[in-house]
Amino acid sequence: MIETIQWTAEGVVMIDQTRIPAEETYVTCRDYRQVADAIRTMVIRGAPAIGVAAAMGVAIGVAGADTAAPLDAQVDAICAELAGTRPTAVNLFWAIDRMKKLYGQLRGKPYEEIRDALIREAILVREEDIAINKAIGQHGSSLIPDGATVLTHCNAGALATAGYGTALGVIRAAVESGKKVGVYADETRPFLQGARLTVWELQHDGIPATLITDNMAGHFLHAGKIACIVVGADRIAANGDVANKIGTYSVAVLAKENNVPFYVAAPISTLDLTLADGGGIPIEERGAGEVTHVFGVQVAPTGTDVRNPAFDVTPNRYVTAIITEKGVARAPYEQTLRDLAK
Ligand code: MRU
């Protein structure tokens, strides 16, 4: 099994996702600032994995607190630093809120008791995430036909979660149920999560994977080569609008045009029912260097103007179904998502 993130006696250990596939190396974060840096620099990425990292970040922050100074202010500073890392994946804020809430219940207890309870909670967030992904897989696997070629975008696999994956979890569960399934992986410019991470992960599990560049998806959808699409999500609004990796929207529109089902697999913690629709989802804009350079090699003239939104929003009308650990939601999402979240 791929170990994305673990709590150890030395610190929070993460597989370094900026180094895959060239190297399988691990980073040990010994304080909360290092955890925040790992999220910011995408050593760890993917909405559920970011959530687990944030929970562990709060725990390691409290474990390293100055016991002679008031804890409340330190907890606030730790949470603020972690919350400032990446804006789009709501799992980050969900995990910080969960840890803050527990801290609120423990306030006034001896420091050691608070510290140990927060560490236990962070470990639980990780364990629960793996179980949630397996449940998503169970609910989603029946949607994948035997013999299907499934298109996915970005990496919504074990590496994007504590293990097993959301979109790739659905594919894993279909394979485990005895179906023959192959995957077309969009390379996912500019950060290449599809080429680097999805293909690596699928090879690891012996699931047939074919790499395509993002602009080839329409060609293969039109040619009838893709049975369905399964992607993950970073934030889903109450009406079922889905924020996911940049390029997801184009794939969803192409899917509808070609009558191919477009499924989103995500845990309930990715729902943001405070937002009526996707218009309110903050979209992270990353540095120009990710676009002007491909892993250190300059591919555009010096001084080129660049835009680099890391996510886009797919309107609910393109989403065939949303697969969660509690079941599969279909339109009207205002109703079905609220029911599942209860
Ligand atoms: O920028 P990233 O790599 O963190 O973006 C990841 C994605 O967009 C994933 O598809 C999403 O977080 C779902 S992961 C199960």
Side-chain angles (χ1 to χ4, degrees), residues 285-314:
E285 182 107 16
R286 295 185 64 85
E290 289 180 1
V291 178
T292 56
H293 291 63
V294 178
F295 282 83
V297 178
Q298 189 169 335
V299 294
T302 304
T304 302
D305 275 341
V306 168
R307 291 294 309 272
N308 186 17
F311 302 94
D312 58 27
V313 175
T314 299

PDB file of all heavy atoms in Angstrom, residues 285-314:
ATOM      1  N   GLU A 285      -4.542  30.793  -7.477  1.00  0.00           N
ATOM      2  CA  GLU A 285      -3.742  31.143  -8.663  1.00  0.00           C
ATOM      3  C   GLU A 285      -2.284  30.909  -8.270  1.00  0.00           C
ATOM      4  O   GLU A 285      -1.806  31.463  -7.286  1.00  0.00           O
ATOM      5  CB  GLU A 285      -4.007  32.611  -9.048  1.00  0.00           C
ATOM      6  CG  GLU A 285      -3.283  33.077 -10.271  1.00  0.00           C
ATOM      7  CD  GLU A 285      -4.154  33.282 -11.521  1.00  0.00           C
ATOM      8  OE1 GLU A 285      -5.396  33.346 -11.411  1.00  0.00           O
ATOM      9  OE2 GLU A 285      -3.562  33.389 -12.617  1.00  0.00           O
ATOM     10  N   ARG A 286      -1.604  30.059  -9.007  1.00  0.00           N
ATOM     11  CA  ARG A 286      -0.237  29.721  -8.649  1.00  0.00           C
ATOM     12  C   ARG A 286       0.764  30.488  -9.519  1.00  0.00           C
ATOM     13  O   ARG A 286       0.392  31.202 -10.435  1.00  0.00           O
ATOM     14  CB  ARG A 286      -0.022  28.201  -8.746  1.00  0.00           C
ATOM     15  CG  ARG A 286      -0.871  27.443  -7.720  1.00  0.00           C
ATOM     16  CD  ARG A 286      -0.586  25.970  -7.706  1.00  0.00           C
ATOM     17  NE  ARG A 286       0.769  25.654  -7.285  1.00  0.00           N
ATOM     18  CZ  ARG A 286       1.145  25.526  -6.002  1.00  0.00           C
ATOM     19  NH1 ARG A 286       0.286  25.700  -5.026  1.00  0.00           N
ATOM     20  NH2 ARG A 286       2.405  25.215  -5.719  1.00  0.00           N
ATOM     21  N   GLY A 287       2.039  30.311  -9.211  1.00  0.00           N
ATOM     22  CA  GLY A 287       3.090  31.105  -9.849  1.00  0.00           C
ATOM     23  C   GLY A 287       3.219  30.862 -11.345  1.00  0.00           C
ATOM     24  O   GLY A 287       2.889  29.788 -11.857  1.00  0.00           O
ATOM     25  N   ALA A 288       3.735  31.893 -12.041  1.00  0.00           N
ATOM     26  CA  ALA A 288       3.889  31.826 -13.498  1.00  0.00           C
ATOM     27  C   ALA A 288       4.889  30.754 -13.920  1.00  0.00           C
ATOM     28  O   ALA A 288       4.767  30.169 -14.999  1.00  0.00           O
ATOM     29  CB  ALA A 288       4.338  33.182 -14.025  1.00  0.00           C
ATOM     30  N   GLY A 289       5.852  30.485 -13.077  1.00  0.00           N
ATOM     31  CA  GLY A 289       6.919  29.534 -13.422  1.00  0.00           C
ATOM     32  C   GLY A 289       6.397  28.146 -13.748  1.00  0.00           C
ATOM     33  O   GLY A 289       7.016  27.419 -14.543  1.00  0.00           O
ATOM     34  N   GLU A 290       5.244  27.763 -13.176  1.00  0.00           N
ATOM     35  CA  GLU A 290       4.688  26.430 -13.475  1.00  0.00           C
ATOM     36  C   GLU A 290       4.245  26.336 -14.938  1.00  0.00           C
ATOM     37  O   GLU A 290       4.159  25.245 -15.492  1.00  0.00           O
ATOM     38  CB  GLU A 290       3.476  26.140 -12.573  1.00  0.00           C
ATOM     39  CG  GLU A 290       3.849  25.892 -11.119  1.00  0.00           C
ATOM     40  CD  GLU A 290       2.629  25.598 -10.249  1.00  0.00           C
ATOM     41  OE1 GLU A 290       1.486  25.563 -10.764  1.00  0.00           O
ATOM     42  OE2 GLU A 290       2.821  25.429  -9.040  1.00  0.00           O
ATOM     43  N   VAL A 291       3.935  27.505 -15.536  1.00  0.00           N
ATOM     44  CA  VAL A 291       3.458  27.523 -16.925  1.00  0.00           C
ATOM     45  C   VAL A 291       4.608  27.810 -17.894  1.00  0.00           C
ATOM     46  O   VAL A 291       4.694  27.193 -18.960  1.00  0.00           O
ATOM     47  CB  VAL A 291       2.316  28.553 -17.091  1.00  0.00           C
ATOM     48  CG1 VAL A 291       1.833  28.615 -18.537  1.00  0.00           C
ATOM     49  CG2 VAL A 291       1.152  28.189 -16.164  1.00  0.00           C
ATOM     50  N   THR A 292       5.484  28.732 -17.520  1.00  0.00           N
ATOM     51  CA  THR A 292       6.578  29.100 -18.432  1.00  0.00           C
ATOM     52  C   THR A 292       7.670  28.040 -18.471  1.00  0.00           C
ATOM     53  O   THR A 292       8.463  28.009 -19.405  1.00  0.00           O
ATOM     54  CB  THR A 292       7.223  30.430 -18.016  1.00  0.00           C
ATOM     55  OG1 THR A 292       7.668  30.313 -16.655  1.00  0.00           O
ATOM     56  CG2 THR A 292       6.268  31.600 -18.154  1.00  0.00           C
ATOM     57  N   HIS A 293       7.697  27.204 -17.418  1.00  0.00           N
ATOM     58  CA  HIS A 293       8.732  26.174 -17.333  1.00  0.00           C
ATOM     59  C   HIS A 293       8.092  24.800 -17.155  1.00  0.00           C
ATOM     60  O   HIS A 293       7.053  24.688 -16.512  1.00  0.00           O
ATOM     61  CB  HIS A 293       9.666  26.432 -16.146  1.00  0.00           C
ATOM     62  CG  HIS A 293      10.540  27.637 -16.332  1.00  0.00           C
ATOM     63  ND1 HIS A 293      10.034  28.921 -16.453  1.00  0.00           N
ATOM     64  CD2 HIS A 293      11.889  27.749 -16.432  1.00  0.00           C
ATOM     65  CE1 HIS A 293      11.041  29.769 -16.622  1.00  0.00           C
ATOM     66  NE2 HIS A 293      12.174  29.089 -16.611  1.00  0.00           N
ATOM     67  N   VAL A 294       8.702  23.803 -17.719  1.00  0.00           N
ATOM     68  CA  VAL A 294       8.282  22.422 -17.448  1.00  0.00           C
ATOM     69  C   VAL A 294       9.443  21.767 -16.704  1.00  0.00           C
ATOM     70  O   VAL A 294      10.479  21.472 -17.286  1.00  0.00           O
ATOM     71  CB  VAL A 294       7.956  21.653 -18.742  1.00  0.00           C
ATOM     72  CG1 VAL A 294       7.581  20.203 -18.421  1.00  0.00           C
ATOM     73  CG2 VAL A 294       6.812  22.330 -19.489  1.00  0.00           C
ATOM     74  N   PHE A 295       9.243  21.641 -15.405  1.00  0.00           N
ATOM     75  CA  PHE A 295      10.267  21.050 -14.534  1.00  0.00           C
ATOM     76  C   PHE A 295      11.661  21.590 -14.839  1.00  0.00           C
ATOM     77  O   PHE A 295      12.579  20.865 -15.174  1.00  0.00           O
ATOM     78  CB  PHE A 295      10.176  19.526 -14.536  1.00  0.00           C
ATOM     79  CG  PHE A 295       9.039  19.115 -13.640  1.00  0.00           C
ATOM     80  CD1 PHE A 295       7.742  19.113 -14.119  1.00  0.00           C
ATOM     81  CD2 PHE A 295       9.242  18.856 -12.297  1.00  0.00           C
ATOM     82  CE1 PHE A 295       6.669  18.817 -13.283  1.00  0.00           C
ATOM     83  CE2 PHE A 295       8.176  18.562 -11.451  1.00  0.00           C
ATOM     84  CZ  PHE A 295       6.892  18.545 -11.947  1.00  0.00           C
ATOM     85  N   GLY A 296      11.742  22.921 -14.721  1.00  0.00           N
ATOM     86  CA  GLY A 296      13.037  23.575 -14.801  1.00  0.00           C
ATOM     87  C   GLY A 296      13.430  24.014 -16.202  1.00  0.00           C
ATOM     88  O   GLY A 296      14.327  24.837 -16.364  1.00  0.00           O
ATOM     89  N   VAL A 297      12.760  23.490 -17.228  1.00  0.00           N
ATOM     90  CA  VAL A 297      13.122  23.861 -18.605  1.00  0.00           C
ATOM     91  C   VAL A 297      12.175  24.953 -19.090  1.00  0.00           C
ATOM     92  O   VAL A 297      10.953  24.786 -19.087  1.00  0.00           O
ATOM     93  CB  VAL A 297      13.033  22.633 -19.550  1.00  0.00           C
ATOM     94  CG1 VAL A 297      13.360  23.042 -20.978  1.00  0.00           C
ATOM     95  CG2 VAL A 297      13.953  21.519 -19.068  1.00  0.00           C
ATOM     96  N   GLN A 298      12.731  26.092 -19.499  1.00  0.00           N
ATOM     97  CA  GLN A 298      11.903  27.208 -19.956  1.00  0.00           C
ATOM     98  C   GLN A 298      11.286  26.872 -21.309  1.00  0.00           C
ATOM     99  O   GLN A 298      11.987  26.492 -22.243  1.00  0.00           O
ATOM    100  CB  GLN A 298      12.762  28.470 -20.051  1.00  0.00           C
ATOM    101  CG  GLN A 298      11.930  29.710 -20.311  1.00  0.00           C
ATOM    102  CD  GLN A 298      12.714  31.000 -20.141  1.00  0.00           C
ATOM    103  OE1 GLN A 298      13.701  31.042 -19.420  1.00  0.00           O
ATOM    104  NE2 GLN A 298      12.255  32.043 -20.809  1.00  0.00           N
ATOM    105  N   VAL A 299       9.932  27.023 -21.403  1.00  0.00           N
ATOM    106  CA  VAL A 299       9.246  26.693 -22.661  1.00  0.00           C
ATOM    107  C   VAL A 299       8.516  27.912 -23.242  1.00  0.00           C
ATOM    108  O   VAL A 299       7.796  27.780 -24.230  1.00  0.00           O
ATOM    109  CB  VAL A 299       8.251  25.517 -22.468  1.00  0.00           C
ATOM    110  CG1 VAL A 299       8.983  24.227 -22.141  1.00  0.00           C
ATOM    111  CG2 VAL A 299       7.201  25.835 -21.408  1.00  0.00           C
ATOM    112  N   ALA A 300       8.662  29.089 -22.620  1.00  0.00           N
ATOM    113  CA  ALA A 300       8.040  30.314 -23.146  1.00  0.00           C
ATOM    114  C   ALA A 300       9.063  31.437 -23.053  1.00  0.00           C
ATOM    115  O   ALA A 300       9.955  31.395 -22.195  1.00  0.00           O
ATOM    116  CB  ALA A 300       6.796  30.653 -22.324  1.00  0.00           C
ATOM    117  N   PRO A 301       8.940  32.458 -23.926  1.00  0.00           N
ATOM    118  CA  PRO A 301       9.923  33.550 -23.886  1.00  0.00           C
ATOM    119  C   PRO A 301       9.944  34.236 -22.522  1.00  0.00           C
ATOM    120  O   PRO A 301       8.915  34.345 -21.866  1.00  0.00           O
ATOM    121  CB  PRO A 301       9.420  34.514 -24.972  1.00  0.00           C
ATOM    122  CG  PRO A 301       8.527  33.703 -25.834  1.00  0.00           C
ATOM    123  CD  PRO A 301       7.939  32.633 -24.975  1.00  0.00           C
ATOM    124  N   THR A 302      11.083  34.706 -22.129  1.00  0.00           N
ATOM    125  CA  THR A 302      11.225  35.449 -20.882  1.00  0.00           C
ATOM    126  C   THR A 302      10.296  36.655 -20.924  1.00  0.00           C
ATOM    127  O   THR A 302      10.173  37.318 -21.955  1.00  0.00           O
ATOM    128  CB  THR A 302      12.700  35.908 -20.719  1.00  0.00           C
ATOM    129  OG1 THR A 302      13.509  34.733 -20.784  1.00  0.00           O
ATOM    130  CG2 THR A 302      12.929  36.624 -19.392  1.00  0.00           C
ATOM    131  N   GLY A 303       9.599  36.904 -19.833  1.00  0.00           N
ATOM    132  CA  GLY A 303       8.711  38.065 -19.755  1.00  0.00           C
ATOM    133  C   GLY A 303       7.293  37.785 -20.216  1.00  0.00           C
ATOM    134  O   GLY A 303       6.456  38.693 -20.257  1.00  0.00           O
ATOM    135  N   THR A 304       6.977  36.553 -20.594  1.00  0.00           N
ATOM    136  CA  THR A 304       5.624  36.201 -21.051  1.00  0.00           C
ATOM    137  C   THR A 304       4.601  36.435 -19.934  1.00  0.00           C
ATOM    138  O   THR A 304       4.842  36.054 -18.787  1.00  0.00           O
ATOM    139  CB  THR A 304       5.579  34.695 -21.454  1.00  0.00           C
ATOM    140  OG1 THR A 304       6.550  34.468 -22.466  1.00  0.00           O
ATOM    141  CG2 THR A 304       4.205  34.285 -21.951  1.00  0.00           C
ATOM    142  N   ASP A 305       3.472  37.067 -20.280  1.00  0.00           N
ATOM    143  CA  ASP A 305       2.367  37.199 -19.320  1.00  0.00           C
ATOM    144  C   ASP A 305       1.712  35.838 -19.159  1.00  0.00           C
ATOM    145  O   ASP A 305       1.460  35.149 -20.160  1.00  0.00           O
ATOM    146  CB  ASP A 305       1.319  38.185 -19.839  1.00  0.00           C
ATOM    147  CG  ASP A 305       1.684  39.614 -19.507  1.00  0.00           C
ATOM    148  OD1 ASP A 305       2.514  39.807 -18.593  1.00  0.00           O
ATOM    149  OD2 ASP A 305       1.147  40.523 -20.165  1.00  0.00           O
ATOM    150  N   VAL A 306       1.386  35.508 -17.927  1.00  0.00           N
ATOM    151  CA  VAL A 306       0.854  34.163 -17.662  1.00  0.00           C
ATOM    152  C   VAL A 306      -0.338  34.242 -16.721  1.00  0.00           C
ATOM    153  O   VAL A 306      -0.382  35.099 -15.836  1.00  0.00           O
ATOM    154  CB  VAL A 306       1.971  33.294 -16.995  1.00  0.00           C
ATOM    155  CG1 VAL A 306       1.410  31.993 -16.442  1.00  0.00           C
ATOM    156  CG2 VAL A 306       3.087  32.998 -17.990  1.00  0.00           C
ATOM    157  N   ARG A 307      -1.320  33.379 -16.918  1.00  0.00           N
ATOM    158  CA  ARG A 307      -2.355  33.121 -15.898  1.00  0.00           C
ATOM    159  C   ARG A 307      -2.224  31.657 -15.508  1.00  0.00           C
ATOM    160  O   ARG A 307      -1.967  30.814 -16.369  1.00  0.00           O
ATOM    161  CB  ARG A 307      -3.761  33.388 -16.461  1.00  0.00           C
ATOM    162  CG  ARG A 307      -4.074  34.849 -16.744  1.00  0.00           C
ATOM    163  CD  ARG A 307      -4.123  35.719 -15.492  1.00  0.00           C
ATOM    164  NE  ARG A 307      -4.980  35.210 -14.419  1.00  0.00           N
ATOM    165  CZ  ARG A 307      -6.287  35.471 -14.294  1.00  0.00           C
ATOM    166  NH1 ARG A 307      -6.899  36.231 -15.169  1.00  0.00           N
ATOM    167  NH2 ARG A 307      -6.979  34.981 -13.275  1.00  0.00           N
ATOM    168  N   ASN A 308      -2.423  31.370 -14.245  1.00  0.00           N
ATOM    169  CA  ASN A 308      -2.253  29.994 -13.785  1.00  0.00           C
ATOM    170  C   ASN A 308      -3.254  29.628 -12.681  1.00  0.00           C
ATOM    171  O   ASN A 308      -2.877  29.314 -11.553  1.00  0.00           O
ATOM    172  CB  ASN A 308      -0.808  29.785 -13.301  1.00  0.00           C
ATOM    173  CG  ASN A 308      -0.514  28.333 -12.932  1.00  0.00           C
ATOM    174  OD1 ASN A 308      -1.264  27.425 -13.316  1.00  0.00           O
ATOM    175  ND2 ASN A 308       0.560  28.114 -12.206  1.00  0.00           N
ATOM    176  N   PRO A 309      -4.571  29.646 -13.027  1.00  0.00           N
ATOM    177  CA  PRO A 309      -5.534  29.163 -12.026  1.00  0.00           C
ATOM    178  C   PRO A 309      -5.363  27.653 -11.852  1.00  0.00           C
ATOM    179  O   PRO A 309      -5.286  26.925 -12.829  1.00  0.00           O
ATOM    180  CB  PRO A 309      -6.904  29.501 -12.654  1.00  0.00           C
ATOM    181  CG  PRO A 309      -6.642  29.571 -14.121  1.00  0.00           C
ATOM    182  CD  PRO A 309      -5.198  29.988 -14.312  1.00  0.00           C
ATOM    183  N   ALA A 310      -5.291  27.213 -10.604  1.00  0.00           N
ATOM    184  CA  ALA A 310      -5.019  25.787 -10.345  1.00  0.00           C
ATOM    185  C   ALA A 310      -6.286  24.930 -10.416  1.00  0.00           C
ATOM    186  O   ALA A 310      -6.199  23.707 -10.481  1.00  0.00           O
ATOM    187  CB  ALA A 310      -4.350  25.629  -8.993  1.00  0.00           C
ATOM    188  N   PHE A 311      -7.467  25.581 -10.388  1.00  0.00           N
ATOM    189  CA  PHE A 311      -8.731  24.831 -10.369  1.00  0.00           C
ATOM    190  C   PHE A 311      -9.741  25.520 -11.282  1.00  0.00           C
ATOM    191  O   PHE A 311      -9.591  26.697 -11.604  1.00  0.00           O
ATOM    192  CB  PHE A 311      -9.289  24.762  -8.935  1.00  0.00           C
ATOM    193  CG  PHE A 311      -8.316  24.119  -7.976  1.00  0.00           C
ATOM    194  CD1 PHE A 311      -7.442  24.888  -7.222  1.00  0.00           C
ATOM    195  CD2 PHE A 311      -8.243  22.736  -7.863  1.00  0.00           C
ATOM    196  CE1 PHE A 311      -6.512  24.291  -6.377  1.00  0.00           C
ATOM    197  CE2 PHE A 311      -7.322  22.128  -7.019  1.00  0.00           C
ATOM    198  CZ  PHE A 311      -6.461  22.911  -6.272  1.00  0.00           C
ATOM    199  N   ASP A 312     -10.771  24.784 -11.677  1.00  0.00           N
ATOM    200  CA  ASP A 312     -11.922  25.404 -12.335  1.00  0.00           C
ATOM    201  C   ASP A 312     -13.190  24.829 -11.725  1.00  0.00           C
ATOM    202  O   ASP A 312     -13.142  23.883 -10.931  1.00  0.00           O
ATOM    203  CB  ASP A 312     -11.869  25.252 -13.872  1.00  0.00           C
ATOM    204  CG  ASP A 312     -11.814  23.806 -14.358  1.00  0.00           C
ATOM    205  OD1 ASP A 312     -12.304  22.908 -13.641  1.00  0.00           O
ATOM    206  OD2 ASP A 312     -11.289  23.576 -15.466  1.00  0.00           O
ATOM    207  N   VAL A 313     -14.317  25.427 -12.099  1.00  0.00           N
ATOM    208  CA  VAL A 313     -15.601  24.972 -11.541  1.00  0.00           C
ATOM    209  C   VAL A 313     -16.432  24.379 -12.669  1.00  0.00           C
ATOM    210  O   VAL A 313     -16.667  25.025 -13.696  1.00  0.00           O
ATOM    211  CB  VAL A 313     -16.362  26.135 -10.863  1.00  0.00           C
ATOM    212  CG1 VAL A 313     -17.741  25.666 -10.391  1.00  0.00           C
ATOM    213  CG2 VAL A 313     -15.558  26.687  -9.689  1.00  0.00           C
ATOM    214  N   THR A 314     -16.867  23.143 -12.482  1.00  0.00           N
ATOM    215  CA  THR A 314     -17.747  22.482 -13.442  1.00  0.00           C
ATOM    216  C   THR A 314     -19.189  22.658 -12.981  1.00  0.00           C
ATOM    217  O   THR A 314     -19.543  22.210 -11.878  1.00  0.00           O
ATOM    218  CB  THR A 314     -17.398  20.972 -13.530  1.00  0.00           C
ATOM    219  OG1 THR A 314     -16.043  20.845 -13.975  1.00  0.00           O
ATOM    220  CG2 THR A 314     -18.330  20.244 -14.471  1.00  0.00           C
TER     221      THR A 314
END
